[in-house]
Amino acid sequence: MAPAPSAASPPRSEPAHATPWPALIEALASDPERGLEPDQVPRRLQEWGPNSPDQQEQKPAWRRFLGQFHDPLLYTLLVVGLVKLLLGEPGEAVVIWSVTVINAVIGYVQESRAETAIAALARSVRTQVEVIRGGEPRRLDSVELVPGDLVLLEAGNKVPADLRLLQGRNLQIDESALTGESLPVAKGTTAVEAEAPLSERIGMAYAGSLVTAGQGRGLVVATGNATEVGQISGSLALQVNLNTPLTRKFRGFSNTLLRIVLLLAGLTFLVGLARGRAASEMFDGAVALAVGAIPEELPAIVTITLAIGVNRMARRNAIIRKLPAVETLGSTTVICSDKTGTLTQNRMTVREIHAGGERVHLGRLWNGADGDDPLARNLALRETLLAGVLCNDARSSQSEGLVGDPTETALLDVAENLGMDRQKALDRHPRRDAIPFASEQQFMATLHGGSRRILMKGSVETVLRRCTHQLRADGASEPIDREAIEAAVAAMAQQGERVLAFAIAEAEPTQERLAETQLDEGLTFLGLQGLLDPPRPEAITAVAACQRAGIQVKMITGDHPDTARSIATQLNLGRGREVRTRTGQSLEEKSPERLLAIVRDTDVFARVVPAQKLALVRALQELGEVVAMTGDGVNDAPALRQADIGIAMGRGGTEVAREAADMLLTDDNFATIESAVEEGRAVYLNLRKALAFVLPVNGGASMTILLAAVLGLELPVTALQVLWLNMVCALTLSVPLAFEPSPPLLMEQPPRSPEEPLLNRGLVQKVLLVSAFYWLFIFSMFLWARDQGHDLALARTMAIQALVLAQVAYLVSISQVSKGGWGQLRRAPLRAPILLAGIAAALLLQLAFSQLSWMNSWFDTAPLSPGQALLCATSLLVMVPVAWLAERFDPTTGVVAVR
């Protein structure tokens, strides 16, 4: 493959890792503060191409087509066709080979479409990066990066291109995909020797690696295939694997069945010869039994059904990254969900502030109640607002407004609404250093020049234990009154507010770096800000739907217990009783038995750190639960991998979390999880319907041939006719079941056990009953026609047509259109157009099968008169009570009746 323009990096005499970064800035005509100017980008994009890898050279179409013949059944048919040719029957050989080719074409098209659809969905979730262009921060798709761009990195990011680092603060990067090193590497800005191995290039951040801690700023020096990972692998192309445990189970089932059937086919041949039948006839019968008994269409139906489920979920904002997740979703028994942005609206607003011994409700401030202006008389209130502005990583952008974490943008928003100018504040108190927020430490801290202050923002517990004094309204300091502060926190949290605490300390006159040891004690408490993020209305509905479906919903959050309890009460997580809440700390050092009991009975886990999420998932799995877990942070990845279904946030989630997840929510909405579970259940239901439909066809045909051989009777169907039946069944009647919509009351049923076999007792009984009916009807129609003096071809034709019409009636009985009576059937053209199109196609094909002369000569059939066709149609009526009885054995293949 010729190199694409995306394999690009500017020419340099020394490699980037050996070049001081100022020289690279100059060489790339960039700026360490402003980045590239917007008018520089189009030319570079044209010269070096987008930041995307060359696509991996695909296996040639002819090889993928030939791969469709790699199936034991098709090998059998190819050999049978060759034997037919050697026996002087070229017409039948051509028909048999044609069937194998048609099967291969169908498989090739279906597989290509499924792979294309799934790959497109996976690629649709692109990496977003934050860059500085023209001095302004902005978020871009990673493919838009060009050499010279200035990229901002923080914990959770995936490095989008090869970067030469200009700045770093506690920056650590996981380069295991490139170097094999299991531990993250501490990064700096120092140039190293040109010959230094990749693992020692501390001044570089390479594409595809993951930022696990800290913050940094880097200059793009290579994009696309010019990156290290591009050169090593030759491609970053997405690999799509359509194999799942279920498809492998079906393939194994088919192969085992093939061995059994080949043995029975051999016995059929020998028994027929012993009963005096001709060798050619019994060879045909043995082939017909082998072909008829193997459900060769099942693997294709499974793949199609899963792919359709993936597409449906995508339309409902759930992107499936790993196909087996579709199967597992239907078994989910517990959903562990984050609170902020998933169960809530993620539109944080500061509702009230507690500072200087006073609680100020901002609603009164906006309305100017009593003409009172607490900002004019309460210095602690002003300092609390200022701390929210300075100890903050959100930024203001002319093109995008406030950019950053919703909590931090809310702090900026309230300060600006109260008249505080953020830029002036930053000019007066320039930031010198920062300790970024991390889940484990529960705080962020910044060091500022000018006023020589250290500011801290974080959870109430974390900040308060470091404070010894508090700021009064008049600006004086006094010993801290913890009881009063905790009472204010409790009152705010009871209103559902998320409470942040703020503190200040004095910095050394010449201090340029901030050490965590300075923050252990001696801080002065400034105040509290209470932020409100109400539940999503659709989340309330979705939680109720999950509970009706027998799925527990548990909230796991880093927020204050009272805040979490308030939101959980509004969501009715307690199901009418008081919400049971535990903190992450209360789980520590519990015995395994006690931990299991707590996990089983608790609705809300608050103040949870990522390591505790992993323990919670494992405990639930020990209880036999199938767990879906949401997460968005770097350290959520272990819990996401451990969960049966790991769910990452498509908007706000980190790249680390996304790569660990099985499913992404493009709208970060809990209601989407409920929708995905419903689709997962529908997929499993449709697979069971396909089994219930296909297996009786194979069972009835094989039983007919076997019994005819044992009794020494003429074969009611030939091998070619059985092949035709299977092709019609696979093409027109069974595939529409994969498109069946979700039944109305599917989410009213409890989750299925993951241990439940696909072929359970009820389904086996159903298959045997319908198979026996098919066998009886084929034989009855065939023997009746022969008794009436009709020739062999006409008798076989009538038997086959009666069987296909019975299949149509059975198909309708297990489909959704049959539920709800006549009214539902009348709406079938609107509710199930694909099903009706499949039935119409099957009837047209069967009409051609019996009435066209060239089809008669190929398949040894005969034209039917109107009276004979009407007689065959009686199978439609006879099938109705049989289908009704079959539903009593296994109602799960149909839609649950309205209670």
Side-chain angles (χ1 to χ4, degrees), residues 74-87 89-90 92-97 100 283 287:
L74 294 184
Y75 290 154
T76 304
L77 292 179
L78 291 171
V79 171
V80 168
L82 180 62
V83 172
K84 287 284 187 181
L85 183 64
L86 296 176
L87 291 177
E89 299 175 2
E92 292 198 14
V94 168
V95 172
I96 291 174
W97 286 339
T100 64
F283 178 76
V287 171

Side-chain angles (χ1 to χ4, degrees), residues 107-119:
Y108 174 79
V109 171
Q110 290 169 343
E111 185 176 293
S112 297
R113 290 184 65 184
E115 287 184 350
T116 300
I118 295 169

Side-chain angles (χ1 to χ4, degrees), residues 91-257:
E92 292 198 14
V94 168
V95 172
I96 291 174
W97 286 339
S98 298
V99 168
T100 64
V101 171
I102 291 171
N103 239 327
V105 168
I106 294 168
Y108 174 79
V109 171
Q110 290 169 343
E111 185 176 293
S112 297
R113 290 184 65 184
E115 287 184 350
T116 300
I118 295 169
L121 288 173
R123 282 194 296 266
S124 69
V125 184
R126 290 179 169 178
T127 301
Q128 294 286 306
V129 296
E130 191 161 359
V131 303
I132 295 177
R133 283 184 180 171
E136 277 198 14
R138 59 182 69 187
R139 291 189 70 81
L140 301 175
D141 194 311
S142 60
V143 299
E144 299 178 44
L145 289 179
V146 294
D149 262 326
L150 209 57
V151 176
L152 302 178
L153 298 175
E154 61 182 15
N157 289 165
K158 184 176 183 179
V159 180
D162 283 1
L163 308 179
R164 179 66 172 88
L165 295 172
L166 315 185
Q167 295 176 12
R169 168 67 182 176
N170 296 334
L171 184 63
Q172 295 186 31
I173 296 181
D174 178 358
E175 296 178 336
S176 57
L178 283 170
T179 65
E181 294 285 342
S182 58
L183 296 176
V185 179
K187 291 292 183 177
T189 61
T190 308
V192 295
E193 295 293 329
E195 296 78 18
L198 191 145
S199 59
E200 296 178 9
R201 299 173 189 174
I202 62 172
M204 294 292 297
Y206 289 108
S209 55
L210 301 169
V211 181
T212 59
Q215 298 171 318
R217 177 180 295 200
L219 180 74
V220 175
V221 294
T223 58
N225 278 14
T227 61
E228 283 292 329
V229 71
Q231 293 173 21
I232 291 170
S233 67
S235 173
L236 296 176
L238 177 69
Q239 297 297 311
V240 178
N241 184 6
L242 293 179
N243 282 323
T244 75
L246 196 57
T247 57
R248 290 192 289 270
K249 191 181 298 183
F250 271 116
R251 194 173 296 115
F253 169 71
S254 294
N255 290 340
T256 302
L257 191 58

Side-chain angles (χ1 to χ4, degrees), residues 248-569:
R248 290 192 289 270
K249 191 181 298 183
F250 271 116
R251 194 173 296 115
F253 169 71
S254 294
N255 290 340
T256 302
L257 191 58
L258 176 62
R259 296 186 187 95
I260 296 172
V261 168
L262 288 177
L263 178 62
L264 290 176
L267 290 175
T268 299
F269 180 77
L270 295 175
V271 169
L273 290 180
R275 298 300 297 261
R277 311 303 299 182
S280 59
E281 181 186 4
M282 293 320 302
F283 178 76
D284 191 63
V287 171
L289 187 144
V291 171
I294 299 294
E296 67 272 9
E297 63 272 37
L298 271 184
I301 292 172
V302 172
T303 300
I304 293 170
T305 305
L306 291 174
I308 290 168
V310 167
N311 278 283
R312 283 180 174 170
M313 290 180 191
R315 287 198 294 270
R316 300 178 77 168
N317 299 314
I319 303 295
I320 298 297
R321 294 187 68 251
K322 301 169 185 176
L323 203 55
V326 181
E327 304 164 26
T328 313
L329 276 167
S331 301
T332 301
T333 60
V334 176
I335 300 174
C336 297
S337 177
D338 191 13
K339 177 181 73 68
T340 304
T342 308
L343 292 168
T344 61
Q345 297 178 22
N346 204 22
R347 290 200 305 225
M348 303 293 288
T349 55
V350 178
R351 185 178 180 185
E352 60 180 315
I353 302 175
H354 172 90
E358 180 181 9
R359 279 181 66 191
V360 178
H361 292 268
L362 295 181
R364 297 180 58 212
L365 269 179
W366 307 143
N367 298 328
D370 305 325
D372 183 31
D373 182 9
L375 284 174
R377 56 176 171 73
N378 190 334
L379 182 61
L381 179 61
R382 292 205 304 272
E383 287 292 329
T384 300
L385 286 171
L386 181 61
V389 170
L390 297 177
C391 190
N392 195 319
D393 281 333
R395 288 174 293 279
S396 180
S397 167
Q398 291 182 1
S399 58
E400 301 179 68
L402 292 176
V403 179
D405 179 83
T407 298
E408 295 197 320
T409 59
L411 298 177
L412 292 184
D413 191 51
V414 68
E416 289 181 0
N417 286 335
L418 291 174
M420 188 170 288
D421 189 304
R422 175 180 178 273
Q423 193 55 51
K424 287 182 180 179
L426 290 173
D427 291 341
R428 284 197 302 269
H429 313 281
R431 183 187 292 190
R432 296 284 182 257
D433 197 11
I435 296 176
F437 179 86
S439 299
E440 293 84 355
Q441 62 195 28
Q442 294 282 313
F443 73 84
M444 173 185 177
T446 53
L447 169 67
H448 298 271
S451 56
R452 295 192 295 111
R453 63 178 66 198
I454 297 171
L455 296 173
M456 176 181 281
K457 169 191 71 183
S459 68
V460 175
E461 297 90 335
T462 300
V463 174
L464 275 188
R465 71 168 175 260
R466 291 170 164 83
C467 294
T468 55
H469 292 76
Q470 64 185 26
L471 195 67
R472 295 194 325 214
D474 60 6
S477 176
E478 65 180 2
I480 191 168
D481 185 351
R482 298 183 188 279
E483 289 186 5
I485 295 171
E486 288 169 357
V489 169
M492 295 164 80
Q494 284 174 1
Q495 303 302 314
E497 296 173 15
R498 181 185 183 189
V499 185
L500 290 178
F502 298 83
I504 189 170
E506 186 175 355
E508 297 295 329
T510 59
Q511 185 174 345
E512 293 293 328
R513 302 290 287 178
L514 185 58
E516 289 192 34
T517 53
Q518 291 180 272
L519 307 173
D520 290 341
E521 59 181 359
L523 276 66
T524 299
F525 174 76
L526 293 176
L528 307 169
Q529 294 197 44
L531 301 95
L532 186 65
D533 182 17
R536 293 176 183 262
E538 63 271 28
I540 297 174
T541 304
V543 166
C546 287
Q547 290 171 340
R548 288 195 301 272
I551 301 171
Q552 300 177 64
V553 179
K554 296 180 183 291
M555 180 192 294
I556 300 180
T557 178
D559 267 355
H560 191 279
D562 290 338
T563 306
R565 186 185 298 109
S566 173
I567 297 296
T569 301

